[in-house]
């Protein structure tokens, strides 16, 4: 959020659309099998990244991907979508095989705001350059569609230089609970904040988990979501599972005029990329519905309801303390609502819920949630804002969407009594006639 209104100055410019297409091709092609396969994870996800864990929570990568360090991953490792990739020393990004990492950050920016150039081998893998120029604040009606590098990268031509991608964080940490319904929340750092309160409110009937497993901005921007969606929908070790519902969200990391892989997304590509995510989720839910009926329950698959996983999109929460930033959020929310309507995916409007409680932007504080609440986070007072949002909007929407919880086992049927005094009268008369 600190970088929502800022940008990087560029000399070497690469088209964001072309870069995103290359990432998608590497991610959803032969390297990462589409969800629906039934092979054990040791076969389709042969690369074990984390030797400290085993089973469900062990982070693994599919053939065609590479294990890399991932600072914000719950296991501290994740998957780069390139085979034999170069894992960058920043523990955030990676580059294709045969290239080295060159990192660039704006002055005064945190280390996670890095943009990595992937240059032919022979470059310095640990080079970090600070760019001293910043662009003016963007306007949401005419955002730039470019993804670019500072002038110090101009020694490499656009033909020989590509951009690094952010390492994919793993999916939900825990296996689903067969005795309860299961919900998967995929979303940004705000969803990281409210998910524990949703889980607590629904704990009696439902296991609620967040993907990706880790911190920072969660599912980040839509480009990262497209790149890593298959990882979010699987176990860390690659096992398939079928939650009863998936609530997902993108938008908070998409109102910028530049793209920082794994952190910031350009507004101009939000709708197109969100549409692609929604289409893939619909296809996944339909495929899961078809395959789960044909399978027996095994450690790698937990069938959901007969209707298959239900989908719910969460309209992005506001930037309640900043009018201009919230105007951007509302502009993106309108596009998101249109995308979900096209795909027949219901929505829960978290922006409207917060505004109904706090009033429209700009607001310095809201109720007893603390100063700066929902701008964009609300951690004060024990997460009071997150707890309120969970109970006021999210839990009711999920309960409306969810199937009823599994019924408890039926009590054993009482055995029939065979004693004479318990038999019907006609039977007793027959027995007296036989004895006489």
């Amino acid at each position: 959020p600190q970088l929502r209104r800022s940008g990087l100055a560029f000399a070497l410019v690469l088209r964001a659309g072309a870069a995103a297409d290359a990432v998608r091709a590497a991610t959803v092609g032969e390297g990462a099998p589409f969800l629906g396969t039934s092979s054990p994870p040791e076969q389709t996800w042969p690369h074990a990244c984390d030797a400290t864990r085993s089973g469900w929570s062990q982070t693994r990568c599919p053939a065609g991907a590479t294990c890399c360090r991932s600072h914000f991953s719950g296991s501290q490792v994740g998957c780069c979508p390139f085979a034999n990739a170069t894992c960058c020393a920043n523990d955030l990004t990676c580059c294709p095989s045969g290239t080295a990492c060159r990192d660039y950050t704006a002055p005064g920016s945190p280390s996670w705001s890095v943009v990595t150039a992937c240059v032919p081998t022979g470059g310095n893998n640990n080079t970090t350059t600070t760019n001293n120029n910043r662009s003016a604040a963007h306007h949401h009606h005419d955002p730039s569609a470019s993804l670019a590098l500072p002038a110090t990268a101009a020694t490499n031509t656009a033909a020989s230089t590509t951009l690094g991608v952010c390492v994919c964080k793993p999916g939900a940490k825990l296996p689903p609970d067969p005795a309860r319904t299961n919900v998967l929340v995929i979303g940004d750092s705000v969803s990281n904040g409210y998910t524990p309160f949703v889980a607590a409110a629904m704990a009696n009937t439902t296991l609620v988990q967040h993907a990706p497993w880790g911190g920072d901005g969660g599912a980040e921007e839509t480009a990262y979501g497209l790149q890593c969606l298959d990882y979010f929908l699987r176990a860390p070790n690659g096992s398939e599972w079928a939650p009863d519902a998936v609530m997902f969200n993108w938008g908070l990391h998409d109102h910028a005029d530049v793209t920082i892989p794994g952190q910031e997304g350009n507004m101009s590509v939000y709708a197109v990329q969100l549409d692609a995510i929604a289409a893939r989720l619909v296809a996944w839910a339909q495929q899961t519905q078809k395959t789960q009926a044909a399978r027996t329950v095994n450690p790698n698959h937990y069938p959901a309801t007969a209707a298959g996983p239900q989908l719910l999109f969460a309209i992005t929460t506001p930037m309640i303390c900043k009018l201009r930033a919230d105007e951007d959020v509302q502009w993106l929310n309108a596009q998101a609502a249109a995308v979900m309507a096209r795909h027949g995916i219901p929505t829960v409007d978290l922006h409207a819920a917060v505004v109904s409680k706090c009033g429209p932007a700009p607001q310095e504080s809201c109720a007893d949630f603390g100063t700066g609440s929902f701008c964009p986070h609300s951690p004060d007072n024990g997460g009071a804002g997150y707890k309120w949002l969970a109970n006021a909007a999210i839990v009711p929407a999920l309960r409306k969407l969810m199937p009823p919880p599994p019924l408890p086992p039926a009590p054993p049927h009482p055995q029939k009594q065979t004693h004479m005094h318990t038999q019907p009268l006609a039977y007793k008369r027959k027995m007296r006639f036989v004895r006489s």
Side-chain angles (χ1 to χ4, degrees):
Q2 295 95 318
L3 300 181
R4 297 290 179 257
R5 317 302 306 173
S6 66
L8 300 176
F10 307 116
L12 174 64
V13 179
L14 302 176
R15 293 292 298 176
D21 289 342
V23 171
R24 284 197 293 274
T27 306
V28 302
E30 296 179 357
F34 179 75
L35 292 171
T37 59
S38 57
S39 301
E42 291 78 10
Q43 295 180 15
T44 56
W45 293 52
H47 307 307
C49 308
D50 181 6
T52 66
R53 293 179 174 88
S54 61
W56 179 277
S57 63
Q58 182 186 45
T59 302
R60 304 180 70 92
C61 294
T66 304
C67 297
C68 286
R69 294 277 301 172
S70 178
H71 179 70
F72 295 114
S73 163
S75 63
Q76 294 293 291
V77 288
C79 297
C80 175
F82 307 124
N84 302 313
T86 300
C87 300
C88 301
N90 56 43
D91 288 351
L92 294 169
T93 58
C94 62
C95 286
S97 177
T99 63
C101 308
R102 282 187 180 173
D103 295 339
Y104 303 88
T105 57
S109 298
S111 59
W112 49 255
S113 64
V114 63
V115 174
T116 299
C118 304
V119 299
T121 301
N124 185 351
N125 188 44
N126 296 315
T127 296
T128 299
T129 300
T130 298
N131 176 21
N132 293 314
N133 298 312
R134 286 181 177 271
S135 67
H138 74 278
H139 193 284
H140 65 256
H141 295 300
D142 186 26
S144 167
S146 298
L147 178 64
L149 299 172
T152 49
T155 53
N156 299 285
T157 64
S160 62
T161 301
T162 59
L163 290 168
V165 298
C166 190
V167 177
C168 291
K169 290 169 276 191
K173 179 181 180 181
L174 301 176
D177 186 346
R180 295 182 287 175
T181 51
N182 291 272
V183 167
L184 182 66
V185 177
I186 301 175
D188 54 32
S189 54
V190 173
S191 70
N192 275 331
Y194 61 63
T195 295
F197 295 101
V198 177
M202 303 182 73
N204 289 339
T205 60
T206 305
L207 174 62
V208 179
Q209 297 195 75
H210 190 276
W213 170 28
D216 187 46
E220 309 290 357
E221 79 283 7
T222 49
Y224 186 71
L226 273 174
Q227 174 189 320
C228 303
L229 184 60
D230 288 352
Y231 296 95
F232 300 163
L233 291 171
R234 290 181 180 253
N237 73 348
S239 294
E240 294 179 272
W241 68 292
D244 295 278
V246 175
M247 188 180 85
F248 65 106
N249 163 265
W250 274 273
L252 187 61
H253 287 252
D254 292 277
H255 57 104
D257 60 350
V258 295
T259 296
I260 300 176
Q263 290 294 335
E264 300 277 350
N266 192 292
M267 295 178 69
S268 65
V269 297
Y270 173 74
V272 173
Q273 293 177 341
L274 184 63
D275 187 85
I277 290 172
R280 287 173 59 185
L281 281 169
V282 169
W284 166 78
Q286 292 172 345
Q287 179 66 28
T288 301
Q289 179 185 6
K290 293 177 182 179
T291 57
Q292 66 186 9
R295 291 185 183 174
T296 58
V297 177
N298 63 66
N300 297 325
H301 178 77
Y302 294 76
T305 65
Q310 303 297 298
L311 301 177
L312 177 68
F313 182 80
I315 299 293
T316 300
T317 51
M319 291 284 289
I320 204 70
C321 66
K322 298 178 181 179
L323 177 59
R324 180 58 185 279
D326 194 57
E327 289 176 347
D328 288 348
V329 172
Q330 293 182 60
W331 187 77
L332 294 172
N333 282 347
Q335 296 183 68
V339 168
M340 298 308 137
R342 284 197 298 273
H343 290 280
I345 298 174
T347 63
V348 53
D349 195 337
L350 304 186
H351 188 282
V354 173
V355 169
S356 70
K357 180 72 172 178
C358 305
Q363 302 286 339
E364 291 185 2
S365 61
C366 176
D368 58 351
F369 302 158
T371 302
S373 55
F374 291 111
C375 194
H377 305 108
S378 193
D380 293 346
N381 300 330
Y386 290 141
K387 183 177 181 179
W388 171 84
L389 184 62
N391 290 301
I394 299 170
V395 171
L398 285 172
R399 283 181 172 157
K400 182 178 178 180
L401 187 73
M402 294 285 289
L407 295 175
H413 192 281
Q415 295 184 355
K416 292 183 178 180
Q417 300 293 327
T418 57
H419 299 295
M420 179 66 69
H421 63 275
T422 63
Q423 301 304 321
L425 181 60
Y427 180 84
K428 295 179 179 179
R429 287 174 177 170
K430 180 179 178 181
M431 293 303 294
R432 286 199 297 270
F433 175 79
V434 171
R435 287 196 294 271
S436 62

